[in-house]
Amino acid sequence: MKIRIGHGYDVHAFGSGDHVVLAGVKIPFERGLVAHSDGDVVIHALCDALLGAAGLGDIGGVFPDDDPKHAGQDSTEFLATVLERLAARKLAPGNADVTVIAQAPKLSAHIPAMRVGLARYLRLPEHSVNIKATTHEGLGALGRAEGIAAHAVVLLHESDEGE
Ligand code: MG
């Protein structure tokens, strides 16, 4: 079995709102993330990692942010489409590791639900999906809580079946 690795990064700035969506989980907060879709930086970073591992470009190329049909879109639908494209190439996620950089809101209480959700979307056992959260130690824009960023690394398994 061949393996492929990919990395993804995303960041969105805070704007008005009363919640953020991270890994498909709605988290109450005094601000929201400004985005064409729901601003789920975790799912966006993960999609980019998956597309990167597959050699399929990036999320902006697959889902243009000037396309009105993606306005306010649930990003888990992006992830489902990305996974379908991978499956068509006999590629499936092996494991995923995500780091969320958020000065606020505090995420520790939400990590278990985010992890369970991502494992379900990726059709992986929970121990194959990891989510970590860190602050930015007050440094720079992220440290001033002007937005949230996420890094994702995934491994893809490439099936040789039928080749
Ligand atoms: Mg994004």
Side-chain angles (χ1 to χ4, degrees):
M1 181 171 59
K2 292 180 225 160
I3 59 171
R4 304 174 68 109
I5 193 169
H7 169 262
Y9 172 78
D10 194 32
V11 61
H12 283 275
F14 283 126
S16 60
D18 60 6
H19 70 277
V20 297
V21 179
L22 296 175
V25 174
K26 187 174 173 179
I27 298 169
F29 189 52
E30 64 202 32
R31 286 171 284 173
L33 291 170
V34 179
H36 187 63
S37 66
D38 62 6
D40 191 330
V41 289
V42 170
I43 299 281
H44 296 178
L46 189 61
C47 285
D48 264 356
L50 291 163
L51 291 168
L56 290 174
D58 63 35
I59 191 170
V62 179
F63 311 102
D65 67 6
D66 56 1
D67 186 335
K69 79 169 182 249
H70 301 314
Q73 182 159 359
D74 179 342
S75 293
T76 62
E77 292 170 19
F78 292 152
L79 181 56
T81 301
V82 167
L83 290 169
E84 278 170 23
R85 291 196 183 195
L86 266 50
R89 288 162 195 260
K90 299 188 183 343
L91 295 168
N95 75 296
D97 186 24
V98 175
T99 300
V100 186
I101 304 166
Q103 201 70 37
K106 196 157 172 42
L107 297 178
S108 52
H110 302 283
I111 298 284
M114 291 162 64
R115 187 178 187 186
V116 167
L118 273 199
R120 196 177 65 237
Y121 298 132
L122 292 168
R123 295 181 203 96
L124 287 173
E126 218 180 299
H127 65 79
S128 296
V129 178
N130 197 68
I131 303 180
K132 309 178 294 293
T134 182
T135 70
H136 214 240
E137 294 293 338
L139 294 169
L142 291 173
R144 291 188 296 273
E146 292 178 11
I148 296 179
H151 292 267
V153 175
V154 300
L155 211 60
L156 292 183
H157 292 164
E158 186 172 0
S159 163
D160 295 326
E161 288 166 39
E163 286 173 14

